[in-house]
Amino acid sequence: MTVEPFRAISVSRLAHQLKVEGRSIIHMEFGQPSTGAPAAAIARAHQVLDRDAMGYWESPDLRARIARLYDDRYGVAVDPERIVLTNGASPALVLALTTRFRPGDRIALARPGYVAYRNTLRALHLEPVEIACGPETRFQLTAAQLEALDPAPAGVIIASPANPTGTIIPAEELAAIAQVCRDRGVAIVSDEIYHGLSYVGPTPSMLQFAPDATIINSFSKYWSMAGWRLGWLVAPQDRIAAARAHIGNLFLTPPSLSQHAGLVAMDATEELEGHVRTYARNRELMLQALPALGLRKIAPPDGAFYIWADIGHLTEDSLAFCEQLLRDTGVATAPGVDFDPVEGRHFIRFSFAVSTAEIEEALARLTPWFALRTQEAMA
């Protein structure tokens, strides 16, 4: 099957080309923190490099610490044996799909949604069943939508907080989704990579409502360790052996150095919560400024670090729009067509996981540019 490109990458390539040419670039196109790993984690990595040759390894201490995270955050007991460490969330997604489903299975997911869900499903010969989700459902799947699918899909991918919208599914809706899936025999894959990044209160885990759900998470977002390529899968009890067989053949183990650092990072709470406070401030600045830019239709950014904004009054081609915006202002953003192949031509995604100074500078550049585009559109 054809796998579509991740078009934000082409925007990023252009951004880096312009930077080489001497342009000042603000990177708001990718969902990655501008901060590095916690200081204590970096210090631990230096210690390990000096004394450990390292090799293929899965840290039992890290798996136990991740299990404790589920107890601390959600009050859910998870056997460390259910936790499989991975090279980030992307291999965890592959493991989740290959151990739960067979080629040809239909998998439901929200549209808009993370581009790799759709493309990974197709690459694995699974059939994405995209459900249009707009403002009326806060751009999220609902239990009613899953109940209405006929026939029932083999599985569903849930993301809360979601990419590209940042919306969070409330606990009562997650419970309703879990019940529909139980009643209809639908396997749940829950991407919880943005947990810890919430501006509206706690973010529930699907494990609280569906103990047999497959959970994906990563150190890339909350722990600010995207480049360390470390994540994990919580496998259902009856899928542990399959998950371990698949990772052993497809990916081996995540980097040993990253596992050592990740274990320390999990207790760097004060530093990490400081990052969240920065994102909260950036979010506030963006929400205050967007209406003046003419961007009044946005998804509620409950969590993560994204704003999904409707630019349909300015363009029918979000990719060309993002490229022109970058060339004119030096601000790189993500085109909506990555996340929604139907309506995405009318949307743009901003990542506010940069410094507050960069947000302020970006808004200073965007304000006159959007004003001019609005005038041209109205002429």
Side-chain angles (χ1 to χ4, degrees), residues 8 10-16 18-19 23-30 286 290 293 295 307 318-335 348-355 357-370:
S10 67
V11 175
S12 189
R13 286 200 192 101
L14 175 59
H16 285 287
L18 294 174
K19 188 173 184 178
R23 293 284 304 278
S24 170
I25 302 298
I26 300 174
H27 289 282
M28 302 176 73
E29 76 273 33
F30 282 155
M286 293 287 289
L290 288 178
L293 303 184
L295 305 181
I307 290 180
S318 60
L319 177 57
F321 185 91
C322 288
E323 290 174 345
Q324 192 62 53
L325 173 63
L326 172 58
R327 292 182 186 278
D328 292 346
T329 70
V331 178
T333 55
I348 188 172
R349 190 197 71 179
F350 297 94
S351 169
F352 53 82
V354 294
S355 69
E358 287 176 302
I359 291 290
E360 291 171 340
E361 174 61 24
L363 291 173
R365 298 181 190 183
L366 294 175
T367 298
W369 191 87
F370 271 92

Side-chain angles (χ1 to χ4, degrees), residues 49-340:
L49 278 171
D50 289 338
R51 70 179 193 215
D52 189 341
M54 294 178 282
Y56 302 129
W57 177 61
E58 187 185 44
S59 168
D61 291 340
L62 181 55
R63 288 166 51 213
R65 181 64 183 86
I66 291 171
R68 181 154 64 88
L69 176 74
Y70 284 93
D71 190 17
D72 293 343
R73 272 189 183 173
Y74 314 110
V76 173
V78 174
D79 185 344
E81 287 301 310
R82 293 180 59 190
I83 296 168
V84 180
L85 301 179
T86 63
N87 296 68
S90 298
L93 175 64
V94 172
L95 290 180
L97 297 177
T98 57
T99 57
R100 291 300 300 255
F101 307 113
R102 297 180 178 180
D105 278 350
R106 300 166 65 253
I107 313 300
L109 64 161
R111 177 173 59 77
Y114 180 43
V115 57
Y117 299 153
R118 180 188 338 114
N119 286 337
T120 302
L121 286 168
R122 287 176 174 162
L124 296 174
H125 300 281
L126 299 165
E127 181 183 345
V129 179
E130 294 188 293
I131 300 174
C133 299
E136 65 282 356
T137 65
R138 304 179 77 256
F139 298 91
Q140 281 281 13
L141 279 176
T142 66
Q145 288 172 316
L146 284 172
E147 181 69 45
L149 287 180
D150 187 19
V156 61
I157 298 175
I158 300 293
S160 175
N163 178 8
T165 61
T167 53
I168 291 174
I169 302 175
E172 58 272 19
E173 188 64 34
L174 281 178
I177 290 171
Q179 186 61 54
V180 168
C181 290
R182 272 192 297 273
D183 293 344
R184 308 193 77 196
V186 179
I188 299 172
V189 175
S190 180
D191 184 351
E192 301 182 356
I193 191 173
Y194 295 102
H195 278 217
L197 302 174
S198 171
Y199 316 105
V200 296
T203 305
S205 171
M206 182 55 84
L207 284 179
Q208 295 170 257
F209 314 101
D212 61 345
T214 303
I215 308 297
I216 295 167
N217 210 325
S218 167
F219 283 79
S220 295
K221 312 301 182 180
Y222 175 75
W223 287 277
S224 196
M225 295 178 67
W228 296 73
R229 309 314 305 134
L230 181 63
W232 72 85
L233 180 82
V234 181
Q237 196 69 39
D238 63 348
R239 305 287 170 161
I240 295 171
R244 294 202 172 280
H246 285 209
I247 194 171
N249 285 282
L250 295 174
F251 306 110
L252 291 175
T253 63
S256 296
L257 185 65
S258 299
Q259 296 181 61
H260 285 291
L263 179 59
V264 174
M266 295 200 77
D267 292 313
T269 305
E270 183 176 353
E271 183 176 350
L272 296 169
E273 288 301 309
H275 296 167
V276 178
R277 288 191 292 272
T278 296
Y279 304 148
R281 176 58 179 156
N282 294 350
R283 171 182 177 270
E284 181 182 349
L285 290 172
M286 293 287 289
L287 293 180
Q288 289 173 352
L290 288 178
L293 303 184
L295 305 181
R296 297 180 177 85
K297 297 179 181 178
I298 65 169
D302 303 326
F305 31 57
Y306 303 120
I307 290 180
W308 179 246
D310 190 332
I311 53 169
H313 58 297
L314 299 176
T315 187
E316 291 283 328
D317 185 344
S318 60
L319 177 57
F321 185 91
C322 288
E323 290 174 345
Q324 192 62 53
L325 173 63
L326 172 58
R327 292 182 186 278
D328 292 346
T329 70
V331 178
T333 55
V337 286
D338 270 336
F339 311 98
D340 185 339

